[in-house]
Amino acid sequence: MKIKNICCIGAGYVGGPTMSIIAQKNPKIKVHVVDMNSNKIAAWNSENLKNLPVYEPGLSKVVKEARGRNLFFSTNIEKHIQDADMIFISVNTPTKTSGEGKGYAADLKFVEACAKQIAEVSKSNKIIVEKSTVPVRTSEKIKEILLSNNSDVNFQILSNPEFLAEGTAMRDLEIPDRVLIGGDNTIEGKKAINSLFEIYASWVPKENILTTNLWSSELSKLTANAFLAQRISSINSLSELCEETGANIEEVSKAIGMDSRIGNSFLKTSVGFGGSCFQKDILNLVYLCRYYGLDQVAEFWHQVIKINNYQKKRFAYKTIQELNGNVKNKKIGILGWAFKKDTNDSRESASIYISNDLLNEGANLFIYDPRVSKERIIEDLKSLFIINGESDNEISKKLNSVKIVSDYNLCFENASGVSILTEWDEFKTYDWQRIYNNMQQPAFVFDGRNILDRNHLEAIGFIYKGIGNH
Ligand code: UDX
Ligand code: ADP
C-alpha cells in the first residue's frame, strides 16, 4: 500500500527531527506531527526558527523547507489519527518510578494511552509504527490494546527503532548506518513492512534497510545502546586505573581504537554518559534478563550503569578533594549542562548529579550552558532533590546556592575552580588567560571531558585536572 498520510504522536527529540526528514524526502506524503503539549506545538510552528523546541544542527533548515508544504504540527490528535494510514508512536518511555519493575522497567503508560486513543477513534485500517524505545514484546501489548478496543479495522504493528544520536540527528537521519523494520511474518505483515520500506527507500540505499521479525527489531535497539554504553563504561573504568598508574587514558584509547577489530568510536572518556536512552535501555535489559531468570546476564549489564554512576561521583569527589576537601561557600563555575554538545537536552546529564554532590558539600555554583534554558536547569536539579526525598527547606537552601548565568564570564569571577561537564566547542575558544586573572588563586580547571589544552592552561598558571591522566 502506498502511504499518503502519516501521523506521528509525540513531537519530541525523536518525533520532530525524524518526521521533518521523512516529510522533506517524501513531498507527496502529508506528515502531521501531533502532541498533547500545546506549547511545544506552538514552538514547532513559530515563525522564528530559533524557537523550535528541539535544538539540532541543520533541523531548522529542513523544517523551513517542509513545514506548511507537507509537514504540519498540530494538537488535533484525534483528527490526524483518523486521517492517517500510518501512525508513528514517538512518545516518551521513562523508567518506572513506582509499581512492578520500579527503577528498571520502562513506563509504558504513554505508549498505552496512544494505543487506546488510536483504537477508539480509528475508522479505517492502519499501520502502527513503534518508534519510541520500548521493551521487547511491547508490540504484543500494543496489538492487544488495539484489538480489544476496536475489532472493526485492521491494525498492523511494526517496530522501527530510532538510532539517531542527539546533536548529530539530522546527519544520522539523512545517512543512517541502517534502518531497521520489524514486522509480522504474514502476508499483511509483509505488506506493512513494504509500505514503510518504500518511505525510507526514497533516500536510504535499499541494502541499508533491514527487515526482521518484531522481537529482533525491538531487542536490537536495546542491544545497540547497551553495547555503546558498555564501551564508555569500559574506558571510564580504566580512566581511574590510568590516574593511579601514570598511564594516559587518551593514549590508551587511541592505541586500542586503532585495532580495527575494536574500532575507535565511543572510546572517549568522560564524566559519565547521559541522555534519555542509555541508562533507560540498559535498565530495561536488566529487567528483561531478570524476568527470564538470567541473573548473571542481568548483572553483567547492570555493571555498566554502576560504573557510570561511580564515574560521576568520582569526579565530584575528586573536585572536592583537590579543593582541600572543603568546598563550603567556595564558588565553582559549571560549564555545560546538556548531556553532550550540540543539543539542548539535559536528560540524565552528568552535570545534574555532579552539581548535586557539590551542593551537598556547600559549594556555590554558577552554571552556564549555551543552549539549555535556565528553567530547565532549575527543574533538573529540583527533580533530583525531590527524588532524593529532600525537604522543601533543604531544596530552597540548595537552590539559593545556584546561579544560572547567560554570560559565561560570571562563572569565573572569584571562583576557586571551574568544571567542564559538556564538550561544547565554544569552551575551547575562551580566553583562558583572562579567565585565570579573574579567578581566585590557586585556580583549578576540572576538565571532565579532556577538551582543553592542558599545556596551555598550566603555562598560564592553572592547576589542571582531567580524567584518566596525572
Ligand atoms: C544514543 C545512541 O547513540 C543512539 O543511536 C540512540 O538512538 C539513542 O541513544 P544519544 O544518547 O543521543 O544517542 O547520544 P550519544 O552520542 O550516544 O551519547 C550518549 C552519551 O554518551 C553522552 O553523554 C556522551 O557524551 C557520552 N559519550 C559518548 C561518552 O562519554 N564517550 C563517548 O565516547 C561517546
Ligand atoms: P523523545 O526523546 O522520545 O522524543 P520527548 O519527551 O522529547 O521524548 O517527546 C515525547 C513527546 O510525546 C512529548 O512532547 C509528550 O508531550 C508527547 N506525548 C506523550 N504522550 C502523548 C499522548 N498520549 N498524546 C500525544 N502526545 C504525547
Short mmCIF file of all heavy atoms in Angstrom, two decimals, residues 89-110:
data_model
loop_
_atom_site.label_atom_id
_atom_site.label_comp_id
_atom_site.label_asym_id
_atom_site.label_seq_id
_atom_site.Cartn_x
_atom_site.Cartn_y
_atom_site.Cartn_z
N ILE A 89 4.27 5.98 16.73
CA ILE A 89 4.19 6.31 18.16
C ILE A 89 5.58 6.72 18.62
O ILE A 89 6.51 5.91 18.61
CB ILE A 89 3.68 5.11 18.99
CG1 ILE A 89 2.29 4.68 18.50
CG2 ILE A 89 3.64 5.47 20.47
CD1 ILE A 89 1.66 3.55 19.29
N SER A 90 5.70 7.99 18.97
CA SER A 90 7.01 8.54 19.29
C SER A 90 6.95 9.30 20.61
O SER A 90 7.41 10.43 20.70
CB SER A 90 7.39 9.50 18.16
OG SER A 90 8.69 9.35 17.82
N VAL A 91 6.35 8.66 21.59
CA VAL A 91 6.18 9.33 22.89
C VAL A 91 7.26 8.84 23.85
O VAL A 91 7.96 7.87 23.57
CB VAL A 91 4.77 9.05 23.47
CG1 VAL A 91 3.70 9.59 22.55
CG2 VAL A 91 4.56 7.56 23.70
N ASN A 92 7.36 9.54 24.97
CA ASN A 92 8.42 9.20 25.90
C ASN A 92 8.11 7.92 26.68
O ASN A 92 6.96 7.62 26.98
CB ASN A 92 8.71 10.36 26.86
CG ASN A 92 7.49 11.16 27.18
OD1 ASN A 92 6.53 11.19 26.43
ND2 ASN A 92 7.48 11.79 28.34
N THR A 93 9.18 7.16 27.00
CA THR A 93 9.03 5.91 27.76
C THR A 93 10.04 5.94 28.91
O THR A 93 11.04 5.23 28.87
CB THR A 93 9.30 4.68 26.87
OG1 THR A 93 10.51 4.91 26.14
CG2 THR A 93 8.18 4.43 25.88
N PRO A 94 9.79 6.76 29.91
CA PRO A 94 10.77 6.88 31.00
C PRO A 94 10.83 5.62 31.86
O PRO A 94 9.96 4.75 31.74
CB PRO A 94 10.23 8.05 31.84
CG PRO A 94 8.77 8.11 31.53
CD PRO A 94 8.60 7.58 30.15
N THR A 95 11.85 5.53 32.70
CA THR A 95 11.93 4.38 33.61
C THR A 95 10.86 4.53 34.69
O THR A 95 10.61 5.63 35.18
CB THR A 95 13.35 4.34 34.25
OG1 THR A 95 14.30 4.29 33.18
CG2 THR A 95 13.52 3.12 35.13
N LYS A 96 10.22 3.42 35.04
CA LYS A 96 9.13 3.46 36.03
C LYS A 96 9.62 3.95 37.38
O LYS A 96 10.70 3.56 37.84
CB LYS A 96 8.55 2.06 36.21
CG LYS A 96 7.51 1.68 35.19
CD LYS A 96 7.01 0.29 35.42
CE LYS A 96 5.70 0.31 36.18
NZ LYS A 96 5.04 -1.02 36.17
N THR A 97 8.82 4.81 38.02
CA THR A 97 9.23 5.30 39.34
C THR A 97 8.41 4.65 40.45
O THR A 97 8.62 4.90 41.63
CB THR A 97 9.09 6.84 39.43
OG1 THR A 97 7.76 7.17 39.02
CG2 THR A 97 10.08 7.55 38.56
N SER A 98 7.43 3.82 40.06
CA SER A 98 6.66 3.11 41.09
C SER A 98 6.10 1.82 40.49
O SER A 98 6.14 1.62 39.28
CB SER A 98 5.51 3.99 41.60
OG SER A 98 4.66 4.30 40.51
N GLY A 99 5.60 0.96 41.38
CA GLY A 99 4.97 -0.28 40.94
C GLY A 99 5.96 -1.35 40.51
O GLY A 99 7.18 -1.21 40.71
N GLU A 100 5.45 -2.40 39.91
CA GLU A 100 6.27 -3.54 39.45
C GLU A 100 7.36 -3.05 38.47
O GLU A 100 7.07 -2.32 37.54
CB GLU A 100 5.29 -4.52 38.74
CG GLU A 100 5.90 -5.65 37.94
CD GLU A 100 6.54 -6.71 38.81
OE1 GLU A 100 6.18 -6.79 39.99
OE2 GLU A 100 7.43 -7.41 38.29
N GLY A 101 8.61 -3.44 38.75
CA GLY A 101 9.70 -3.04 37.86
C GLY A 101 10.22 -1.64 38.13
O GLY A 101 11.03 -1.11 37.36
N LYS A 102 9.78 -1.03 39.24
CA LYS A 102 10.22 0.32 39.60
C LYS A 102 11.75 0.47 39.50
O LYS A 102 12.48 -0.38 40.01
CB LYS A 102 9.76 0.56 41.06
CG LYS A 102 10.23 1.82 41.68
CD LYS A 102 9.77 1.91 43.12
CE LYS A 102 10.51 3.05 43.79
NZ LYS A 102 10.27 3.13 45.20
N GLY A 103 12.20 1.54 38.90
CA GLY A 103 13.63 1.79 38.79
C GLY A 103 14.32 1.04 37.66
O GLY A 103 15.48 1.27 37.37
N TYR A 104 13.61 0.11 37.01
CA TYR A 104 14.23 -0.67 35.92
C TYR A 104 13.37 -0.67 34.64
O TYR A 104 13.84 -0.29 33.58
CB TYR A 104 14.46 -2.13 36.36
CG TYR A 104 15.56 -2.26 37.36
CD1 TYR A 104 15.28 -2.21 38.72
CD2 TYR A 104 16.88 -2.37 36.96
CE1 TYR A 104 16.30 -2.28 39.67
CE2 TYR A 104 17.90 -2.46 37.88
CZ TYR A 104 17.61 -2.41 39.23
OH TYR A 104 18.63 -2.48 40.14
N ALA A 105 12.13 -1.13 34.80
CA ALA A 105 11.29 -1.31 33.60
C ALA A 105 10.86 0.03 33.02
O ALA A 105 10.77 1.04 33.74
CB ALA A 105 10.05 -2.12 33.98
N ALA A 106 10.60 0.05 31.73
CA ALA A 106 10.13 1.28 31.09
C ALA A 106 8.65 1.48 31.42
O ALA A 106 7.88 0.53 31.48
CB ALA A 106 10.32 1.19 29.59
N ASP A 107 8.32 2.73 31.64
CA ASP A 107 6.92 3.06 31.91
C ASP A 107 6.21 3.22 30.57
O ASP A 107 6.52 4.13 29.80
CB ASP A 107 6.87 4.38 32.70
CG ASP A 107 5.51 4.60 33.29
OD1 ASP A 107 4.54 3.98 32.78
OD2 ASP A 107 5.39 5.37 34.25
N LEU A 108 5.28 2.33 30.32
CA LEU A 108 4.64 2.33 29.00
C LEU A 108 3.31 3.07 29.00
O LEU A 108 2.53 2.95 28.05
CB LEU A 108 4.44 0.89 28.52
CG LEU A 108 5.74 0.16 28.19
CD1 LEU A 108 5.46 -1.27 27.77
CD2 LEU A 108 6.49 0.89 27.07
N LYS A 109 3.04 3.85 30.07
CA LYS A 109 1.71 4.46 30.15
C LYS A 109 1.42 5.39 28.97
O LYS A 109 0.29 5.46 28.51
CB LYS A 109 1.50 5.16 31.49
CG LYS A 109 2.36 6.35 31.73
CD LYS A 109 2.03 6.99 33.08
CE LYS A 109 2.97 8.17 33.28
NZ LYS A 109 3.40 8.37 34.63
N PHE A 110 2.46 6.08 28.47
CA PHE A 110 2.20 7.00 27.34
C PHE A 110 1.94 6.21 26.05
O PHE A 110 1.09 6.57 25.25
CB PHE A 110 3.36 7.97 27.15
CG PHE A 110 3.61 8.83 28.36
CD1 PHE A 110 4.77 8.69 29.10
CD2 PHE A 110 2.67 9.77 28.79
CE1 PHE A 110 5.01 9.46 30.23
CE2 PHE A 110 2.90 10.55 29.91
CZ PHE A 110 4.07 10.39 30.64
#
